[in-house]
Amino acid sequence: MRVLFASTTGAGHFHPLVPLIDACTARGDDVLVVAPPGLGAALAAREQPYRIGARPPDDELTRVMTRVMTRVLELPPDDGVSLMTREVFGRLCVTAMLPTLEAACREWRPDLVVHEAYEFASVVAAEHQGIPHARVAVSAAGFARSTDTLLRPVLGPYGPGIVERLRDSPYLTRLPASLDPSPYALTHRYHETPEPDALPDWWGGAEEPLVHLTLGTEAGALPTAGGLYRAVLEAVGGLPVRALLTAGHGTVDPYS
């Protein structure tokens, strides 16, 4: 079986694909990964073949991201989400990556396209070539579903019904139903079996409930990150729990 995996830039978008890429490789599938230049070094360090597409023009991306940051800091969060989904993921990233993904689907002829939830150029390319596609969660299912309707103005010109078929495609997630009920009809849940004692004992043998705190891999680079992380840490500081905070590489020190 030939499986093409597609991702946008960012650890939080690529890493959910990794266990599926590894599983396909282990069972002998032919795998091709397609991603923007920002993931070039990460893909070069892996064993799978890959192709690198383009990134959006810097001036356009900067202009949109400036608007997004303004909305995040000054207006309701939904406005920033709308801009990111529609303008960055739906318009700029699709325009930049589509030529590479169209060529990969046409020339390599995968049997299946698997993409992270906010990579849409591969969906357009798969639809144009009649290739089935599946979506891998990078967030809560309810959040992803709430942003689907934002895509109609930007994906509609590529073909009728693309957004509807994106919504109806298989949705793969590692989150359990108890934490993340899914509105997607074709939801499939998967998990990795951790190695014994994979998590170091940072708590000196304590057995209190373990609370995992995360704001994702990108929030830590926002101008408001310091105060946000302080508030999160102080909220759990007095609770009888073990707390594990995970963050992206660019996260600022909340107490600096």
Side-chain angles (χ1 to χ4, degrees), residues 144-183:
R145 183 66 183 87
S146 72
T147 60
D148 286 347
T149 55
L150 301 171
L151 298 168
R152 286 197 178 94
V154 287
L155 296 188
Y158 292 107
I162 287 182
V163 173
E164 286 70 26
R165 288 189 291 278
L166 166 69
R167 181 194 61 206
D168 295 338
S169 65
Y171 181 84
L172 286 65
T173 178
R174 286 192 284 190
L175 295 177
S178 59
L179 292 178
D180 184 33
S182 174

Side-chain angles (χ1 to χ4, degrees), residues 55 58-72 80 83-84 87-89 92 218 222:
R55 60 173 275 128
D58 288 337
D59 57 342
E60 286 195 66
L61 187 60
T62 298
R63 183 167 62 250
V64 173
M65 290 305 297
T66 299
R67 291 172 61 198
V68 169
M69 290 302 304
T70 300
R71 298 294 178 93
V72 167
L83 277 171
M84 278 297 298
E87 295 299 318
V88 177
F89 295 126
L92 293 177
E218 306 297 330
L222 295 175

Side-chain angles (χ1 to χ4, degrees), residues 14 20 33 48 67 81 90 105 110 112 115 146 171 174 190 209 212 216 232-233:
F14 176 62
L20 301 176
V33 184
Q48 294 82 15
R67 291 172 61 198
V81 169
C105 286
L112 174 66
H115 65 102
S146 72
Y171 181 84
R174 286 192 284 190
Y190 67 98
H212 179 200
V232 170
L233 292 171

Side-chain angles (χ1 to χ4, degrees), residues 165-250:
R165 288 189 291 278
L166 166 69
R167 181 194 61 206
D168 295 338
S169 65
Y171 181 84
L172 286 65
T173 178
R174 286 192 284 190
L175 295 177
S178 59
L179 292 178
D180 184 33
S182 174
Y184 295 107
L186 296 179
T187 295
H188 303 278
R189 301 184 188 275
Y190 67 98
H191 69 277
E192 296 176 87
T193 302
E195 296 292 330
D197 301 320
L199 186 65
D201 181 11
W202 289 305
W203 300 278
E207 296 183 354
E208 287 85 358
L210 175 61
V211 176
H212 179 200
L213 308 172
T214 182
L215 299 175
T217 58
E218 306 297 330
L222 295 175
T224 54
L228 185 58
Y229 276 101
R230 282 196 300 274
V232 170
L233 292 171
E234 289 165 5
V236 300
L239 299 178
V241 299
R242 294 173 295 153
L244 173 64
L245 173 67
T246 58
H249 293 296

